[in-house]
Amino acid sequence: MPTNQQLRSLYIISYQLTYVMLQLIHLICIDERTKNLYILAGYNEEIELEITPNGEVI
């Protein structure tokens, strides 16, 4: 399960990607090794983001 901080960051990033940048989000999943939330976005899947358990975006 994602942490509350990860969910807050995910909401902000999702809003920015879809409504501001008009980009598609293809995948959102949790890396079981690091517990980071992984986001794959962009029309050609060129945007990769990770959100740490404390909500920091990498």
Side-chain angles (χ1 to χ4, degrees):
M1 282 302 283
T3 65
N4 287 337
Q5 293 89 349
Q6 283 176 317
L7 291 175
R8 287 183 183 141
S9 294
L10 176 62
Y11 179 82
I12 293 167
I13 290 170
S14 297
Y15 177 83
Q16 291 289 325
L17 284 170
T18 56
Y19 290 107
V20 177
M21 299 172 61
L22 302 174
Q23 296 292 318
L24 300 173
I25 296 176
H26 295 279
L27 176 71
I28 299 173
C29 64
I30 294 180
D31 184 343
E32 290 298 324
R33 297 170 293 143
T34 62
K35 301 300 183 199
N36 288 351
L37 196 62
Y38 179 77
I39 303 167
L40 181 62
Y43 287 101
N44 296 318
E45 300 178 358
E46 69 274 7
I47 302 171
E48 297 179 30
L49 301 166
E50 285 188 56
I51 304 173
T52 62
N54 65 359
E56 180 183 342
V57 179
I58 302 174

